[in-house]
Amino acid sequence: GDVYLSGADATAWDLKIAVNASAIKTGSVVVSKLPENLKVENANGVYGIVEQIFVARVDGVGYTTLAEAFAAAQNGETVKLLTSLAIDSETITIADGKSITLDMNGKKITVTDNKSGNYELFYIYGELTVTGNGTIELTATTDRDWNASSSIFHNRGGKLTIEKGAVVSNGVATANGGNLYVYSGSDLTVKNATITGENRALWVHNYAAADFGAGYNAKAVEDRLNISILNGNNKINGDIRYGFNE
């Protein structure tokens, strides 16, 4: 049958527990009142209580990966980072009709892009707000062909807001590197934040430089598109690219 484990409070679980799987013929290990940061795990045929490390929290619930936290977040909710973390070539999609806030909480997300084609940490159809004095830093390990990009944000007709001390940095020295890849029909607001691109700070797709006047001109971009990057105390370090043809 089942093996039941229960503790009156968190301190009751401050002990070593081991249950051999062979001792459980037809049931399982069932626990109650287990603190959120602990879980039952079967390692090599022995059940035990192990600690979970949560990287983010949504509505009071902890998650062990950023992707899990965003998948659980409902419209209007906030994903709050609890610790700095590393991400390897993973993409998180913000669906159309969904509005999510990422509270960096002073932490850092270090992203490694090992792909050879397009890569983005966030693919945005809905709305994403990044706030909270943290840093997102992307580094690509491979260069790109002319028709592929590596970016932190790919705003595909959605709404992206970066504010309140957030720092996004792209160390991609490829021709198509860029922190913010903004497709036509998207909204972008950057306020009191720092945007740094080794090659491009901002890539506005489906437009050419001639659409905006003379060269890389942030004011011209703001006048032509629904983009606000000149308000507040922003630092925009890097060029602006317009489409495939400059």
Side-chain angles (χ1 to χ4, degrees):
D2 295 333
V3 173
Y4 289 89
L5 303 174
S6 180
D9 52 37
T11 59
W13 292 100
D14 189 20
L15 47 81
K16 300 294 184 182
I17 297 175
V19 179
N20 286 325
S22 60
I24 306 173
K25 302 302 183 182
T26 60
S28 60
V29 174
V30 180
V31 298
S32 65
K33 299 182 181 179
L34 188 67
E36 184 190 31
N37 67 317
L38 301 178
K39 68 176 180 177
V40 176
E41 185 175 87
N42 183 341
N44 298 318
V46 177
Y47 288 94
I49 305 298
V50 297
E51 184 177 7
Q52 300 187 91
I53 305 300
F54 295 125
V55 302
R57 190 178 299 278
V58 179
D59 194 25
V61 179
Y63 296 91
T64 57
T65 70
L66 190 61
E68 289 175 347
F70 269 90
Q74 301 301 304
N75 188 40
E77 289 190 325
T78 295
V79 175
K80 183 176 182 178
L81 288 187
L82 302 178
T83 185
S84 296
L85 67 146
I87 292 177
D88 186 354
S89 301
E90 187 173 30
T91 296
I92 296 169
T93 299
I94 310 299
D96 187 19
K98 202 169 188 180
S99 177
I100 303 296
T101 295
L102 172 60
D103 181 355
M104 295 296 297
N105 192 29
K107 310 304 182 184
K108 182 177 182 179
I109 301 174
T110 302
V111 187
T112 302
D113 169 15
N114 291 312
K115 294 188 176 182
S116 58
N118 289 323
Y119 173 73
E120 51 280 323
L121 174 60
F122 290 103
Y123 206 107
I124 306 166
Y125 293 102
E127 298 184 17
L128 174 64
T129 297
V130 181
T131 187
N133 290 302
T135 299
I136 304 176
E137 185 176 274
L138 167 66
T139 301
T141 59
T142 59
D143 203 345
R144 294 296 194 270
D145 292 330
W146 67 273
N147 62 344
S149 67
S150 180
S151 58
I152 296 175
F153 303 101
H154 185 140
N155 195 355
R156 192 76 175 190
K159 182 177 182 180
L160 171 62
T161 301
I162 304 171
E163 62 178 16
K164 295 184 179 178
V167 177
V168 291
S169 177
N170 189 328
V172 183
T174 172
N176 291 339
N179 266 317
L180 310 175
Y181 183 105
V182 183
Y183 205 80
S184 57
S186 304
D187 292 348
L188 170 66
T189 299
V190 180
K191 188 169 184 179
N192 300 328
T194 300
I195 309 297
T196 299
E198 180 72 21
N199 192 292
R200 312 287 182 187
L202 175 63
W203 185 1
V204 182
H205 188 60
N206 270 18
Y207 290 93
D211 295 328
F212 301 91
Y216 298 114
N217 187 318
K219 181 63 166 62
V221 172
E222 288 203 333
D223 290 343
R224 179 67 177 80
L225 300 176
N226 192 21
I227 292 176
S228 177
I229 61 177
L230 298 181
N231 60 80
N233 298 311
N234 290 320
K235 296 179 181 178
I236 308 296
N237 306 315
D239 286 334
I240 298 172
R241 174 174 179 167
Y242 312 94
F244 289 117
N245 298 309
E246 303 175 44

